[in-house]
Amino acid sequence: MNIGTLLTTSAASRPENSAIVCGPRRVNYEQFNARVNCLSNALRRLGARPHDNIAILMVNFPQMLEVMFAAFKAGCGAVPINWRLHPSEFAYIIDNAEATILFTTAEFDEQVSQIRRDLPRLRHIITTGLATGDLQDYEAVLAAESEHFADIDVAPDDVAWLFYTSGTTGVPKGAMLTHRNLLGMTKRFYSDICPDFGDDEVVLHAAPLSHGSGLYALPNIGRAATHVFLELTSFDPDSVLETIQSQRVTNLFAAPAMIKRLVDCPAIDHTDVSSLKAFVWGGAPMMVEDLQQAITKFPNMVQIYGLGETPMTITYLPRRDHVLGGSDAQTKRLASAGIRRTDVDVAIVDGNDCFLAVGEMGEIVTRSDVMTKGYWRDPEATTETLRRGWLHTGDLGYFDEDGYLFLMDRSKDMIISGGENIYPREIEEVLAQHPAVCEVAVIGVPDKQWGEAIKAVVSLVPGQDVTEEALIAFCKSRIASYKKPKSVDFVAELPKNNYGKIVKRDLREPYWRGHQRSI
Ligand code: AMP
C-alpha cells in the first residue's frame, strides 16, 4: 500500500475531523486531503515522476506535512531536510538526492538563493515565502490544480522517505525508507506505543517534522487525528505546555533535552497534562534522575529506541515500566531502552558478527520489516551496515535476563547534544584547518541541559597562539551552529596509544567521572 493512502482513507472515512490546527487556522481531513491532492498533481505537472525525490526544506509548518504526503501519493520519495544544518549541507543533500523540485518556507529563501548555483539539477523552487526571482508561490502552485488524485500504485519496497543521517564520516547518507517500512512503523505504533489509540487523538508537533515528529505524523494521520502546530521555529516550553492543556493533546514526541526543559519550566505545576496518552521520548539517553522527575510530571511516558535507518522501531520501554517507587528491578529498568518491539528481532553481536549471550556487551543488531533497504547511491555503506541480513546499529549494549536492552555506549564516538547527533570527526576536520591547531579531538562532556556538550581538546603548533573564542567562531563560520564546540581545552599533548592514535576514552574520563556515561 502507498503510505500516502493513510490520508486518503482517513479523509474518506472521517472528512469532518480536524486535521490541522495552526493558530486560528483549522483545516478538516477533506480539505487537507484536497490540498495534498492538488500538490500531487502539481508535482506531476512540474515533471516529477514516480521514484523521483522531492526535497523539503521547511520549518514545522502544516505545509511540510502537505508536501510529504503529496510526494508519497505521487510515488515520489520525500526528502525532509534537518533545517538546522549548514547551507552547504542543504546543498549536499539536495544534490545527492538528485532532487529537481525543492519546497521551502520563507526562513530559507535567502540561503536557497545562495546555494542555487551549486544545484544545476534543481528546476523548481516553491516557497511559502515571497515568490521573487525564480521562486514560485506555494499557494499559486496549489491553486492551479485539481483536488482529485488517484494515489500511485507503489511496490512495498519503493522509497517513500529518504532519511538523511549525519553519517560517521561527516557526509550525510540517505537511508531509504520504503512504504513497507513506514507502514510497519505505523502498525507497531498502534500495537506497542499506544494500544488504546482511538479515533479522536490530538498530536502536537513539538519536535522536528524531518525526524521523530514527522514519522509519528503517519500513525496519527492513519487514525484521522488532529495535528497541532505551534508556529514557532524554536522549542518553547511554555507554549508546549499551554498547548497540551488547551488542545487536550493526547500524544507527542520529544527528545530528552526538550523534556528536561518542560520539567524545569515553572508552568508545569499549574498545567493540566492529563490528556496525554503517549508522551513518546527517545533519540538520546535520559539520565535516570531526569526520567524520574519527568514521570512525576507527565503521565503515560513511553521510551523508544530506534535509528533513522529503523524509524522509531527497535525496542521500547512501555508505559507500564515508567513507574516510581517500584521494586529494584523496576527502578533498574528506567536506565534501559526497554524490550524489543512486536515482530522485531534484536540481538547483540561481537566484532565477528557472532551472537552473544544474555549479559554480554556487543553491537546491537536488528532485523525486521521496519529496516532500511540501504543507503541511496551508496552500495558500500549499505553492504557494511546490512551485513548478513542484520542492520548494524553502531550502538553498544546488552540484554538482561528479562529481555531489557541496556545501551552502554555509541561506538564511533557519536555525540548526542539536545537530541541532535553530532559526529566529532566533522568538527575535528574543521579545527584541524586552523593554522594554530596542531592536534585536536572532539568529545562529548556531560551537560545538564543538552545531555552532552561538545568539547574540543586542542594542542597548538609551537609558537602559535589562539583563543577559545576564536576557535569556536572559526567552526561557526564553517559548519552548522549547533555543531560548534561549546568549549575548548588546550593541552600540551593528546593521549595516544601505541599505534599513535588518540585515545578518546582517556580524554573523556576526567570529564565523566561521577556521571553515568560509559566512557
Ligand atoms: P538517529 O538516526 O538520528 O535517529 O539516531 C540514532 C541514534 O540515537 C542511535 O543509534 C542511538 O545511539 C541514539 N538513540 C536513539 N534512541 C535512543 C534511546 N532511547 N536511548 C539512547 N540513545 C538513543
Side-chain angles (χ1 to χ4, degrees):
M1 187 188 92
N2 186 322
I3 195 73
T5 302
L6 289 178
L7 170 59
T8 315
T9 309
S10 287
S13 61
R14 305 184 74 89
E16 297 302 329
N17 267 27
S18 278
I20 306 287
V21 173
C22 183
R25 193 174 152 221
R26 259 179 195 270
V27 173
N28 69 26
Y29 264 84
E30 186 178 16
Q31 296 161 329
F32 180 47
N33 187 47
R35 284 175 61 83
V36 171
N37 283 348
C38 290
L39 270 182
S40 297
N41 283 315
L43 288 177
R44 218 182 240 174
R45 182 176 54 78
L46 296 173
R49 292 152 308 167
H51 307 295
D52 286 352
N53 294 322
I54 310 297
I56 310 171
L57 178 56
M58 298 174 118
V59 289
N60 266 20
F61 282 2
Q63 291 91 331
M64 180 154 174
L65 216 49
E66 291 177 346
V67 180
M68 281 161 54
F69 270 80
F72 297 155
K73 280 172 167 247
C76 298
V79 190
I81 301 171
N82 175 357
W83 57 266
R84 293 183 69 208
L85 293 174
H86 192 266
S88 61
E89 293 162 307
F90 299 158
Y92 178 85
I93 291 172
I94 296 165
D95 188 55
N96 185 261
E98 299 167 12
T100 59
I101 303 175
L102 167 69
F103 286 84
T104 71
T105 45
E107 290 74 13
F108 309 106
D109 288 352
E110 209 182 303
Q111 292 167 345
V112 166
S113 306
Q114 283 163 16
I115 58 175
R116 180 82 178 88
R117 63 178 175 280
D118 302 326
L119 299 166
R121 246 191 293 252
L122 202 58
R123 288 203 304 271
H124 302 284
I125 305 170
I126 297 135
T127 178
T128 61
L130 215 58
T132 52
D134 64 353
L135 301 189
Q136 301 171 48
D137 178 69
Y138 184 88
E139 288 301 325
V141 165
L142 204 136
E145 304 295 338
S146 156
E147 294 182 355
H148 301 284
F149 185 84
D151 300 350
I152 295 295
D153 193 21
V154 295
D157 288 329
D158 283 352
V159 177
W161 183 319
L162 206 49
F163 189 107
Y164 275 85
T165 65
S166 317
T168 45
T169 55
V171 180
K173 289 187 302 229
M176 294 183 280
L177 303 182
T178 64
H179 291 265
R180 185 203 303 275
N181 295 157
L182 297 180
L183 195 59
M185 177 200 73
T186 299
K187 287 195 218 159
R188 285 165 183 81
F189 179 95
Y190 302 139
S191 63
D192 301 338
I193 303 297
C194 193
D196 48 355
F197 206 70
D199 288 332
D200 51 2
E201 306 293 343
V202 180
V203 58
L204 172 62
H205 291 297
L209 280 175
S210 57
H211 201 271
S213 211
L215 289 163
Y216 275 168
L218 273 51
N220 277 281
I221 285 191
R223 290 276 172 86
T226 304
H227 298 252
V228 181
F229 291 82
L230 290 170
E231 290 189 294
L232 294 170
T233 51
S234 58
F235 186 81
D236 174 39
D238 281 297
S239 306
V240 170
L241 290 173
E242 191 281 319
T243 308
I244 292 174
Q245 175 172 301
S246 62
Q247 300 292 335
R248 306 292 299 154
V249 169
T250 65
N251 74 106
L252 80 157
F253 172 79
M258 295 174 177
I259 296 176
K260 193 160 171 46
R261 291 181 64 193
L262 292 173
V263 169
D264 290 344
C265 180
I268 183 74
D269 290 324
H270 46 86
T271 303
D272 178 7
V273 293
S274 60
S275 54
L276 287 173
K277 277 188 189 174
F279 189 173
V280 188
W281 69 272
M286 184 154 24
M287 303 291 149
V288 171
E289 208 183 293
D290 291 339
L291 180 56
Q292 284 169 326
Q293 279 194 15
I295 297 169
T296 64
K297 308 287 180 190
F298 292 103
N300 295 321
M301 298 191 76
V302 188
Q303 181 197 173
I304 52 127
Y305 161 55
L307 279 66
E309 289 87 339
T310 57
M312 316 300 264
T313 317
I314 297 179
T315 60
Y316 76 125
L317 190 69
R319 295 187 297 203
R320 63 172 182 275
D321 281 326
H322 283 76
V323 286
L324 296 176
S327 63
D328 285 354
Q330 281 173 317
T331 304
K332 193 172 159 245
R333 281 176 193 167
L334 292 178
S336 79
I339 50 179
R340 65 185 186 84
R341 299 286 299 277
T342 302
D343 285 338
V344 173
D345 291 333
V346 189
I348 309 293
V349 296
D350 66 12
N352 298 316
D353 276 345
C354 294
F355 294 111
L356 294 174
V358 164
E360 289 184 319
M361 175 141 85
E363 184 175 7
I364 299 161
V365 294
T366 179
R367 189 175 59 179
S368 76
D369 62 2
V370 194
M371 166 176 123
T372 181
K373 67 172 181 175
Y375 296 105
W376 171 259
R377 302 275 190 257
D378 198 341
E380 242 172 67
T382 301
T383 312
E384 172 64 19
T385 304
L386 299 179
R387 293 193 305 276
R388 301 177 191 203
W390 290 81
L391 184 135
H392 290 62
T393 63
D395 290 317
L396 301 176
Y398 68 91
F399 274 108
D400 74 3
E401 304 232 308
D402 301 319
Y404 283 76
L405 177 70
F406 286 80
L407 287 173
M408 295 306 289
D409 201 0
R410 300 174 293 269
S411 54
K412 306 167 196 160
D413 296 317
M414 185 173 83
I415 299 169
I416 301 185
S417 185
E420 296 276 355
N421 294 347
I422 292 150
Y423 289 89
R425 176 79 187 271
E426 196 185 352
I427 307 158
E428 289 162 1
E429 304 240 23
V430 171
L431 281 169
Q433 291 168 23
H434 193 284
V437 171
C438 174
E439 282 187 315
V440 55
V442 169
I443 54 171
V445 295
D447 184 274
K448 275 210 158 70
Q449 185 172 4
W450 302 110
E452 287 183 57
I454 305 166
K455 178 180 281 291
V457 185
V458 167
S459 68
L460 293 179
V461 173
Q464 293 267 359
D465 211 6
V466 65
T467 63
E468 177 178 32
E469 289 78 10
L471 285 181
I472 293 172
F474 186 77
C475 290
K476 199 178 168 194
S477 64
R478 285 165 176 79
I479 42 174
S481 179
Y482 72 89
K483 293 181 189 169
K484 68 180 188 301
K486 222 166 170 216
S487 59
V488 181
D489 283 2
F490 295 93
V491 293
E493 210 182 320
L494 290 159
K496 309 236 180 63
N497 68 12
N498 289 346
Y499 299 105
K501 287 189 191 169
I502 294 169
V503 187
K504 287 205 174 165
R505 171 179 288 268
D506 293 357
L507 208 52
R508 278 195 289 258
E509 203 271 332
Y511 301 102
W512 283 91
R513 219 171 279 150
H515 290 268
Q516 260 184 345
R517 192 183 205 267
S518 139
I519 55 166

